[in-house]
Each structure stands twice: as structure tokens, then as C-alpha cells.
Amino acid sequence: IYKLRITDTSNVTRVVEGESSDEHESFHYFRTGLDLSKEGLLAFVTQKGSSDALYIYDTKSEKPVSNFSFKEITGIGAPAWSKDSRYIAFSGMEFSGKADLYIFDVLNEKLSRLTNDYYDDTDPCFSPDGKYLAFSSDRTSNPIKNIYNIFFYDLTSNKITQITNSEAELTSPHFNEDGRLIFSSDLGGTQNIWIIDSVFSS
């Protein structure tokens, strides 16, 4: 993992070196992702022993803060901070191969499981107000097709709402500051970035 200043792209600094210790045996390319909080705390995942671990690194002090492993979770993907930097949402995989949504309370070091089914739930991200998680899932897909749509998980009612209805693969949802939802899709055969306006309107 490297960092650079947007105003000086020639100055690149290595933050974490993979395959350099038992703590960071390997990165899972194209799966894990990473996220940076407003306070400069970097959440990322590497393999540690037989399972993945969630790491927090302070990019301002350039020092590791903590790391967490979870007994029932072997694979961790796409960690995402809440706006207040208290919670991290991620997709966790059991030894059985099931991928579900989890939220980790960093302050109290408490893990909560949100979904528990045979669908593939990935790429969670918090809405700007912290009330919802947007995520990608194949929960409406024909098993033969590789179809993923975007869903909302209401953190108050635990209700799941389908946001898109596409015959494509929609992944990596992310909210910008004004609440518009950005995601990636191969709709039309080419991978592009899409935006939904007024996603919270009734």
C-alpha cells in the first residue's frame, strides 16, 4: 500500500509492505479494498495465518493502530468507514464459503452480523447520514447468470431494499458528499462508472 499527495504525485511513500511478515502474509488482489476515514485512519485487510485480519493504520503518525481477527470469519473484503469513524462495515466469509455483511464497532471492539443467508453480499458502504448501507448482491439473480444489483440495508429496521434492477453486474457502490450513489457496472458490455441521483427519494 502506498500513499501520495494529490498536489505532489511525484512523492510516493510506502505505507504497508505485503509478504514481509507474519502480520501481512499477502494481499488479496481485486477483493479486499481499503478505506480512509476523515481522521486519516486507513482500514485494510491482509492474510494473517489461516485467515484474514482487519488492520487500522494512522496515516498521519505513520504508525499501526490495531488489528482484529474474527473466529468465525476466514475472509474479509471491502472494509468501509462510517462518517464518524466509529464503525467499519465489511463483507465477511465463513469457512463454509458464505459471504455476508458485518459491522465492527471500533470503539467497543464489537462485531455485529447483518445478513445470514446463501447470497453473496459484498462491497458495503455507509450512507452520508449513517442510516443505511449500500451493498452489491446476487440475491435476485438467476443462479446461472452473474447478476449483481445494488441494495440498501436499513441499520434501524434491518430491512433490505433493492435499489437497482439490472441484468448486469453492479458493484462497488459509494456515496459522494451530496448523497448521490456511484457504482461500477458492465451494463452494455463495457465496465463504466454510473451515478444515481436522488437515491433516497420516495
Side-chain angles (χ1 to χ4, degrees):
I1 298 176
Y2 293 84
K3 71 174 182 178
L4 59 81
R5 293 185 180 275
I6 297 176
T7 55
D8 181 14
T9 56
S10 63
N11 185 13
V12 180
T13 305
R14 185 168 61 194
V15 175
V16 179
E17 181 180 1
E19 302 179 8
S20 58
S21 68
D22 293 339
E23 292 288 312
H24 307 300
E25 292 185 15
S26 66
F27 290 93
H28 301 294
Y29 301 107
F30 309 113
R31 177 165 69 84
T32 55
L34 46 81
D35 194 29
L36 190 67
S37 75
K38 289 186 177 297
E39 285 71 27
L41 297 175
L42 175 68
F44 67 96
V45 179
T46 63
Q47 184 175 337
K48 180 182 179 183
S50 60
S51 302
D52 287 348
L54 175 65
Y55 289 85
I56 299 175
Y57 179 93
D58 190 333
T59 59
K60 294 181 179 178
S61 66
E62 299 185 346
K63 294 180 179 180
V65 176
S66 52
N67 69 87
F68 304 94
S69 298
F70 308 103
K71 184 177 179 181
E72 303 299 327
I73 300 176
T74 180
I76 299 174
W81 284 102
S82 59
K83 192 172 183 179
D84 61 5
S85 302
R86 175 170 175 175
Y87 301 96
I88 299 175
F90 63 84
S91 176
M93 184 178 294
E94 296 180 330
F95 289 91
S96 63
K98 294 172 59 178
D100 291 299
L101 300 182
Y102 294 81
I103 283 186
F104 182 63
D105 183 336
V106 177
L107 180 63
N108 297 315
E109 298 186 5
K110 179 182 178 182
L111 181 69
S112 299
R113 185 171 188 164
L114 302 184
T115 60
N116 188 0
D117 49 46
Y118 61 87
Y119 298 111
D120 188 31
D121 299 330
T122 66
D123 301 339
C125 71
F126 286 91
S127 61
D129 60 10
K131 295 180 179 180
Y132 303 91
L133 284 181
F135 67 100
S136 174
S137 178
D138 64 349
R139 57 185 52 241
T140 58
S141 174
N142 182 323
I144 300 177
K145 298 181 180 180
N146 192 38
I147 297 173
Y148 283 73
N149 275 287
I150 305 299
F151 296 80
F152 276 5
Y153 185 101
D154 188 320
L155 293 169
T156 301
S157 67
N158 300 317
K159 179 182 178 182
I160 295 175
T161 303
Q162 185 173 354
I163 301 302
T164 64
N165 185 15
S166 173
E167 292 291 308
E169 185 176 2
L170 280 58
T171 60
S172 305
H174 180 77
F175 288 96
N176 66 3
E177 289 297 324
D178 61 7
R180 293 193 297 172
L181 184 64
I182 303 167
F183 61 92
S184 175
S185 174
D186 63 355
L187 185 66
T190 303
Q191 202 76 28
N192 285 303
I193 296 174
W194 294 71
I195 298 177
I196 299 178
D197 290 316
S198 305
V199 72
F200 292 108
S201 62
S202 57

